[in-house]
Amino acid sequence: MIRLIGYFFGIGTALALLVAAGVAIYISHLSKDLPDYEVLAKYEPPVTTRIHASDGALMAEYARERRLYLPIQAVPDRVKAAFLSAEDKNFYNHPGIDMTGLGRAIMVNLQNFGSGKRQVGASTITQQVAKNFLLSSDQTYERKIKEMILAFRIEQAYSKDRILELYLNEIFFGLGAYGVAGAALTYFDKAVNELTVAEAAYLAALPKGPSNYHPFKYADRAIERRNWVIDQMVDNGYVTHEEGAKAKAEPLGVTPRRTGTYLFAGEYFTEEVRRQISARYGENALYEGGLSVRTTLDPKMQLIARKAMQNGLMKFDTLRGYRGPVKSINVSGDWGVPLGDVKRLEDVPEWSLAVVLDSSEKGLSIGLQPTRQVSGELVKDRIEGTVSKEDMRFAMRHVVDGKTVKANSPADVLKPGDVIFVQKKEDTDGAYSLRQVPEVEGGLIAMDPHTGRVLAMVGGFSYAQSEFNRATQAMRQPGSSFKPIVYSAALDNGYTPASVIMDGPITIKSGNTTWTPKNYDGRTAGPATLRSGIERSRNLMTVRLANDMGMKLVVEYAERFGVYDHLAPYLPMALGSGETTVMRMVSAYSIMANGGKSIKPTLIDRIQDRYGKTVYRQDERGCENCNATEWQNQPEPELVDNSEQVLDPMTAYQITSMMVGVVERGTGATVAELGRHIAGKTGTTNDEKDTWFIGYTPNLVVGLYMGYDQPKGLGKGATGGGLAAPIFKDVMRVALDGTPNVDFKVPEGMKLIAINRKTGMRANPGDAGAFIEAFKPGTGPADSYWVIGMDADGSNASGGSLSPQANQAIQSGGGGLY
């Protein structure tokens, strides 16, 4: 019997050895094809790129996977406890595989065999890291064995904290969120350290199956799973029974964070930054690189610029009459549904969509359907209101078949079913004003002239209506706002503000082609100083000046100032007939404002990579002693400005002084109402297609244009001084409020001499026409009366060059008018 037992024991031992050898061979075979787990040491997951305003406000996030990488040291203990309780309570004690949990899973699977129920996996957090990072999600025993082998190896190579860090930053939580930091923001709009026990437990419940525990579709199921996690936290001693009961009594409280742009009114700026980053670093870096971008945007200035620009566009547009409703719908039944399908202007929240329910001589009865969010879902409310005849007075002139028709009653303009834009009147109950999206558009830039930092950008009335950025993308003729470039070239090359030029008829001939420019008002003033020419924006004087000094010089300065890359050397170009952008024009004026130094317009101050290393910095100034380790009575460090001097500082002051005259006495006189030291210049193109105003104080430059996207006349009498300058004034009124009224600094060495405004010669004592003018050393008023552009016999001179290309520029609208 003993011999028989020994016989069977030997056979069993041999069979066990054979099975063990077979298992070893099988595992060895699987191990040959295992991926290299050492790649975890270089783990760089796709991380969200975040764009911030200059004050740190979040502007936008860009990501394919909405993830923010969080070191394990920054994860609160209660959040760790929630995930350990939900996924792997023995994580810090097992070697990668929880044998107890594995045995329990095997027993459950044997009991459920053949029942059709899904098998239990019992994967530890380490195993999940192995699967998520290195393996597929195939439900096979072979994959499971590989997962176990890798789990053992990972545990030997990395610390528990490192493994937990990888897990918490990689897992998918649903709603496009990856990683615990991204999930906290997505579900609760909170940082991880702000999560409550209940919120942490809900996030820990999600990796099991995010779609199964959707907070709105399956709220009951989500709460049940969350409460189970809380119970596990109580059983494991992470929270007390009282804390657990309190957490279980809380609602889910999910408030999804919206995607896209976050900073109100910053859509055009944000999109421009996005394009620049994509062009500089590529799409992958933008959507996966985890860049932290600090922009130059000043949110307060942006709001000021947006409001002023929108008000200016609306004021102009409403004077042209009402063009009719957005569309018409059927209001015989439930009008809320078709009204809700009409596209709103999301970036103009002051306006609401409404449908006309009734119209009469007194006004309109309207129905509105504003939307609001409740627990992350859009809830549509329907309310009713009124629009009085007084609050839609501009619409009494409405456009029918391209003609403006006068109406006697609101019922003649709008009928039931018409969908319109309205704005609620302040301090009223249910009273609204009729609104209309302007046809006319425009672009605006506000810039720091010393650094080139763009403080505000308005690319049009509404980004939701049109993403085309008119501040950076629209190529428009600057008109007379280009003239300061011409005058700067002259002042930098021997002319003075007191030089006298003939303001009289001139004809430029070239072969069989002739060009006879005219002043805006069609009149001439005879001989006048350069100052008078720019203050009154005289075209004939500018053409003569450009002709006298040569267009090659004008071209050189236009390109030096960055207004154009390549400007054709034809005389019409001196009147602003070449096309450029608002951004370029404001940059050029910044050079005059900062004393002649070149600047690079920038929307970005700094870019950091995912590790916090600065990879781009806008400020290129050097500072050798800024990093001194201790104070040893050394001089204070100074920032060295290596910017190129593209314009003589004295010339910059002279042209600035002349443009101060534009504001105080010339075409921009409306701006003088601010009582500030401001220099600026108006601009209007042929046929009043575009109107401009660009102006500046010593520390702020603002420039803008107004015009139709498909260029057409703005109307007889439309000028930069009448349309663009008031918008500029509205910006400056608010932007400069509470700041000192700083005057422009006179460069050392300049001579201030009283001259006669008409002759440009030194003024006599008691001369009523005397004016203090700035002259460079070695220059001064003329000793004898001399008029540029007049022949010796006193007749007007003709001449210059005009090519077929220049003639084409004239025909297409070349010529700054006013």
Side-chain angles (χ1 to χ4, degrees):
M1 185 67 181
I2 295 175
R3 181 179 299 176
L4 185 62
I5 293 173
Y7 176 75
F8 281 113
F9 178 78
I11 293 176
T13 301
L15 289 174
L17 291 174
L18 287 173
V19 171
V23 171
I25 293 172
Y26 179 66
I27 292 176
S28 176
H29 171 70
L30 292 180
S31 299
K32 292 180 180 179
D33 298 327
L34 288 178
D36 184 5
Y37 62 89
E38 293 182 359
V39 299
L40 299 179
K42 300 177 181 178
Y43 173 59
E44 287 189 353
V47 179
T48 301
T49 288
R50 310 183 87 192
I51 298 177
H52 300 267
S54 61
D55 65 351
L58 182 63
M59 295 173 61
E61 294 177 321
Y62 297 101
R64 295 193 177 103
E65 298 179 1
R66 299 179 65 188
R67 177 190 285 109
L68 297 174
Y69 195 88
L70 198 66
I72 193 64
Q73 295 83 357
V75 181
D77 289 340
R78 62 177 173 275
V79 175
K80 296 178 188 176
F83 282 89
L84 293 176
S85 298
E87 296 291 332
D88 191 358
K89 66 179 182 179
N90 296 321
F91 172 70
Y92 278 97
N93 298 318
H94 62 63
I97 298 175
D98 187 350
M99 300 305 298
T100 302
L102 181 61
R104 189 184 307 112
I106 292 174
M107 293 299 296
V108 171
N109 289 336
L110 288 175
Q111 293 175 1
N112 294 335
F113 183 77
S115 65
K117 293 183 179 180
R118 183 177 179 179
Q119 293 189 332
V120 179
S123 292
T124 65
I125 285 177
T126 310
Q127 287 177 265
Q128 292 184 56
V129 168
K131 180 187 72 173
N132 293 337
F133 284 84
L134 305 172
L135 299 172
S136 68
S137 297
D138 297 338
Q139 298 291 328
T140 63
Y141 287 108
E142 182 175 307
R143 196 272 298 164
K144 196 69 177 178
I145 294 172
K146 289 182 178 181
E147 179 184 293
M148 293 180 181
I149 297 171
L150 285 171
F152 278 120
R153 293 181 178 180
I154 290 171
E155 288 275 352
Q156 293 172 357
Y158 302 102
S159 68
K160 287 285 188 179
D161 280 348
R162 174 59 176 167
I163 295 170
L164 185 58
E165 178 181 295
L166 291 171
Y167 172 77
L168 290 176
N169 281 286
E170 176 66 16
I171 48 180
F172 176 60
F173 287 85
L175 300 186
Y178 291 78
V180 66
L185 286 171
T186 299
Y187 281 89
F188 299 107
D189 201 12
K190 289 183 176 181
V192 172
N193 59 1
E194 297 175 324
L195 294 174
T196 65
V197 171
E199 291 166 345
Y202 176 62
L203 293 185
L206 287 169
K208 196 77 173 178
S211 60
N212 295 331
Y213 307 112
H214 191 281
F216 309 122
K217 293 180 180 178
Y218 309 111
D220 293 341
R221 193 187 300 173
I223 291 175
E224 181 182 355
R225 175 70 180 175
R226 180 205 66 177
N227 291 348
W228 177 85
V229 175
I230 294 173
D231 288 338
Q232 295 300 306
M233 294 176 73
V234 173
D235 292 344
N236 295 330
Y238 292 121
V239 296
T240 65
H241 285 280
E242 291 76 14
E243 291 172 330
K246 181 180 178 181
K248 289 167 66 175
E250 295 179 11
L252 281 179
V254 173
T255 54
R257 195 180 202 198
R258 69 185 184 92
T259 58
T261 57
Y262 299 94
L263 189 67
F264 176 62
E267 292 85 359
Y268 282 109
F269 196 107
T270 300
E271 174 58 18
E272 190 68 23
V273 171
R274 188 201 67 79
R275 282 197 293 262
Q276 289 189 12
I277 295 175
S278 178
R280 186 190 297 265
Y281 299 110
E283 293 285 306
N284 286 339
L286 173 64
Y287 291 100
E288 299 179 1
L291 303 176
S292 176
V293 184
R294 180 63 65 93
T295 72
T296 62
L297 180 72
D298 181 335
K300 293 181 180 178
M301 177 65 75
Q302 182 66 32
L303 290 176
I304 295 168
R306 170 192 177 269
K307 183 177 181 180
M309 193 71 186
Q310 285 190 340
N311 287 345
L313 295 175
M314 288 191 296
K315 180 179 179 181
F316 174 87
D317 188 72
T318 53
L319 293 175
R320 271 72 192 163
Y322 186 60
R323 292 183 298 278
V326 177
K327 66 178 300 184
S328 294
I329 62 175
N330 188 345
V331 292
S332 60
D334 183 3
W335 50 262
V337 175
L339 179 60
D341 293 335
V342 182
K343 182 181 178 182
R344 307 174 61 185
L345 294 182
E346 297 175 356
D347 57 340
V348 190
E350 304 95 331
W351 292 10
S352 299
L353 275 172
V355 61
V356 177
L357 302 177
D358 188 33
S359 58
S360 65
E361 293 184 358
K362 294 182 178 180
L364 309 175
S365 173
I366 59 173
L368 298 94
Q369 192 182 54
T371 57
R372 56 190 176 92
Q373 278 201 350
V374 176
S375 298
E377 293 187 311
L378 286 178
V379 176
K380 298 180 179 180
D381 300 322
R382 283 188 290 170
I383 58 178
E384 294 187 7
T386 60
V387 178
S388 69
K389 182 177 180 180
E390 181 63 28
D391 293 325
M392 57 177 292
R393 181 165 296 278
F394 81 92
M396 292 299 99
R397 296 177 64 252
H398 62 121
V399 180
V400 179
D401 296 329
K403 296 181 179 180
T404 303
V405 179
K406 187 176 180 179
N408 296 317
S409 167
D412 297 334
V413 182
L414 293 165
K415 62 183 184 301
D418 286 340
V419 178
I420 57 177
F421 282 109
V422 295
Q423 182 173 356
K424 194 173 189 304
K425 297 181 66 176
E426 294 182 2
D427 302 323
T428 63
D429 184 17
Y432 293 82
S433 298
L434 182 65
R435 292 289 180 258
Q436 173 175 256
V437 178
E439 274 191 338
V440 69
E441 284 287 2
L444 181 150
I445 291 286
M447 182 180 293
D448 181 337
H450 303 287
T451 62
R453 299 174 70 247
V454 177
L455 306 177
M457 174 188 293
V458 181
F461 181 80
S462 166
Y463 182 82
Q465 180 199 21
S466 170
E467 297 181 9
F468 182 65
N469 191 332
R470 294 156 189 85
T472 60
Q473 295 177 302
M475 301 297 294
R476 314 294 291 207
Q477 294 175 329
S480 291
S481 63
F482 179 72
K483 288 175 181 175
I485 311 299
V486 179
Y487 283 76
S488 293
L491 295 171
D492 224 23
N493 289 275
Y495 299 81
T496 75
S499 296
V500 178
I501 305 178
M502 185 64 187
D503 180 18
I506 183 174
T507 298
I508 308 299
K509 298 179 181 178
S510 180
N512 296 325
T513 304
T514 61
W515 175 45
T516 304
K518 294 179 180 175
N519 290 325
Y520 179 77
D521 57 11
R523 295 179 293 181
T524 59
T529 61
L530 260 65
R531 171 179 288 277
S532 178
I534 200 168
E535 286 183 358
R536 305 306 305 171
S537 197
R538 312 303 283 180
N539 293 337
L540 298 175
M541 294 175 67
T542 304
V543 171
R544 275 196 171 84
L545 178 63
N547 189 45
D548 189 68
M549 63 181 170
M551 274 302 296
K552 288 186 178 180
L553 190 62
V554 174
V555 168
E556 177 189 338
Y557 275 75
E559 295 175 0
R560 185 189 296 184
F561 276 64
V563 178
Y564 303 103
D565 292 328
H566 303 286
L567 180 66
Y570 309 131
L571 278 174
M573 300 300 179
L575 299 181
S577 63
E579 293 181 339
T580 186
T581 65
V582 176
M583 177 73 85
R584 287 191 169 217
M585 289 299 295
V586 171
S587 300
Y589 274 62
S590 293
I591 293 173
M592 293 179 270
N594 69 25
K597 289 183 177 294
S598 67
I599 59 108
K600 295 179 181 178
T602 181
L603 280 68
I604 301 172
D605 274 336
R606 184 197 66 206
I607 301 176
Q608 294 172 291
D609 64 16
R610 67 172 70 208
Y611 304 108
K613 179 183 177 182
T614 297
V615 295
Y616 169 80
R617 188 181 67 175
Q618 181 269 337
D619 193 344
E620 298 177 349
R621 292 176 295 177
C623 184
E624 296 181 359
N625 300 317
C626 284
N627 296 323
T629 57
E630 60 181 14
W631 177 255
Q632 296 180 345
N633 296 320
Q634 68 265 40
E636 293 183 6
E638 294 183 4
L639 292 172
V640 180
D641 188 354
N642 297 320
S643 300
E644 180 185 1
Q645 194 77 39
V646 298
L647 187 68
D648 188 317
M650 294 187 177
T651 299
Y653 176 78
Q654 286 178 319
I655 192 65
T656 295
S657 174
M658 292 164 69
M659 284 195 285
V660 168
V662 172
V663 171
E664 292 180 348
R665 294 173 297 277
T667 56
T670 185
V671 178
E673 297 173 9
L674 294 175
R676 291 276 186 164
H677 296 294
I678 295 176
K681 183 69 185 73
T682 56
T684 311
T685 61
N686 274 2
D687 301 322
E688 295 90 8
K689 291 179 180 177
D690 288 330
T691 61
W692 290 70
F693 191 88
I694 310 173
Y696 55 88
T697 67
N699 298 307
L700 178 64
V701 183
V702 175
L704 66 119
Y705 89 90
M706 179 191 294
Y708 292 101
D709 284 345
Q710 295 297 323
K712 63 179 181 179
L714 293 169
K716 189 64 177 178
T719 65
L723 297 180
I727 298 175
F728 172 90
K729 182 175 65 174
D730 288 346
V731 173
M732 286 299 197
R733 176 186 290 112
V734 183
L736 300 178
D737 185 41
T739 63
N741 187 15
V742 181
D743 200 355
F744 296 98
K745 185 178 179 181
V746 182
E748 186 176 347
M750 292 208 78
K751 299 180 295 182
L752 301 178
I753 301 174
I755 65 164
N756 182 286
R757 291 178 58 86
K758 185 66 176 176
T759 67
M761 300 173 67
R762 191 181 296 268
N764 297 318
D767 192 336
F771 183 83
I772 302 298
E773 195 63 86
F775 293 90
K776 300 175 185 177
T779 68
D783 295 329
S784 58
Y785 188 57
W786 173 258
V787 179
I788 299 171
M790 179 179 285
D791 291 340
D793 59 1
S795 62
N796 295 332
S798 299
S801 61
L802 195 69
S803 71
Q805 293 89 340
N807 186 56
Q808 183 179 0
I810 297 167
Q811 299 301 323
S812 64
L817 290 174
Y818 204 52

